[in-house]
Amino acid sequence: MVAPEVIKAAQSGDRDALITLLREIENHVYRTAYYILNNEQDAMDAAQEALIRIYTKINSYEEKAQFKTWVQRIVTNLCIDKFRRAKPTVSIEQHDLSFTDHKTVEDEVMSTYIAQDIRDAIYKLPEHHRSVVVLRYLQDFSYNEIAESLDLPINTVKSYLFRARQQLQTILREYKKPSGDAVRG
C-alpha cells in the first residue's frame, strides 16, 4: 500500500509526503466506502471525510498496527456511522458499459446484471456481515487484518463470513428464480 518512509515523513510534517500518501490510498478508501454504502455520492462523501480524518490524525497512527488496517478502520467506522444515520437512497446516474471484442453485447449485459445482483445482495446483508465481506472479498484483507480493522476477535470474523456467505447464497438464489415471462431489467 504505502511505503513506511512516506508514512514517517508525513507524520513528521512533510506536506508532499502527506499528499503522496493520501493520493496512494484515495482509490482504496473510495472503493471500500462504495461497497459498504452502495451509493456513489455517499461513498464520495465518506471517502472525502475519511481522507480528511487521516490527514488530521496521521500523527496518531502507531506502527503497532499495519497502516492499511488503520486506514480501513477509519473508513469502515465512518461508513457504518453514515449508514446508520442515512435513509436508503438510490443513485439515478447511469453507468457506461464498455464492450470488449471477445464478448458479445449479451455477455456484457449479463455480466453487468450479475455484478449488480452481487452488489445488491451484499448491500442486503446486515451491516456487520457486509463489512467483513467487503474487506475479505473486495479488499482482499486477511482474517487477521479484518479482525484488527473492525476490532473483532478472529473467530467472530470467521463466523460473520460463514453466515454472510450463507445469506448471500440465499439472496442470490432468489435472483435466479424465474418469475414467469418477465424480462430482466
Side-chain angles (χ1 to χ4, degrees):
M1 191 168 186
V2 179
E5 55 273 6
V6 173
I7 298 168
K8 286 184 191 300
Q11 287 181 308
S12 68
D14 182 338
R15 183 170 155 68
D16 291 336
L18 186 56
I19 290 169
T20 299
L21 180 142
L22 293 172
R23 283 191 177 138
E24 285 188 34
I25 65 172
E26 69 183 334
N27 286 334
H28 170 76
V29 168
Y30 170 77
R31 197 170 42 249
T32 299
Y34 181 77
Y35 282 115
I36 292 174
L37 298 171
N38 197 33
N39 177 287
E40 189 174 334
Q41 189 60 49
D42 288 345
M44 289 189 324
D45 291 346
Q48 183 177 20
E49 193 173 336
L51 290 170
I52 291 169
R53 186 157 301 167
I54 292 162
Y55 174 84
T56 59
K57 302 285 185 185
I58 190 69
N59 289 327
S60 70
Y61 168 69
E62 298 173 3
E63 291 183 32
K64 290 186 280 185
Q66 289 184 28
F67 184 71
K68 171 174 134 175
T69 56
W70 182 76
V71 167
Q72 194 62 50
R73 180 177 283 182
I74 290 171
V75 176
T76 304
N77 287 341
L78 280 169
C79 289
I80 289 170
D81 290 346
K82 191 170 199 50
F83 184 75
R84 286 179 182 154
R85 289 189 312 256
K87 294 179 181 173
T89 59
V90 177
S91 174
I92 59 171
E93 295 180 17
Q94 295 296 319
H95 297 283
D96 294 331
L97 293 176
S98 59
F99 298 103
T100 58
D101 293 334
H102 63 282
K103 287 188 176 181
T104 66
V105 171
E106 292 83 9
D107 290 341
E108 288 290 337
V109 170
M110 285 312 296
S111 293
T112 301
Y113 278 129
I114 291 167
Q116 185 60 49
D117 286 350
I118 292 170
R119 280 193 299 272
D120 291 347
I122 290 170
Y123 191 66
K124 289 180 180 179
L125 293 173
E127 139 191 334
H128 54 284
H129 290 171
R130 180 176 42 245
S131 296
V132 295
V133 166
V134 167
L135 295 178
R136 179 72 183 133
Y137 298 110
L138 303 175
Q139 298 295 354
D140 203 29
F141 272 44
S142 69
Y143 292 128
N144 288 332
E145 290 170 331
I146 296 168
E148 192 175 323
S149 292
L150 299 177
D151 199 23
L152 295 171
I154 195 156
N155 286 335
T156 302
V157 169
K158 290 177 181 179
S159 173
Y160 284 179
L161 279 170
F162 177 78
R163 289 187 191 126
R165 282 191 299 263
Q166 288 179 318
Q167 290 171 325
L168 285 171
Q169 285 177 341
T170 301
I171 293 167
L172 291 171
R173 259 189 235 117
E174 291 298 315
Y175 289 136
K176 285 185 175 182
K177 285 185 181 176
S179 56
D181 294 329
V183 175
R184 180 159 184 120

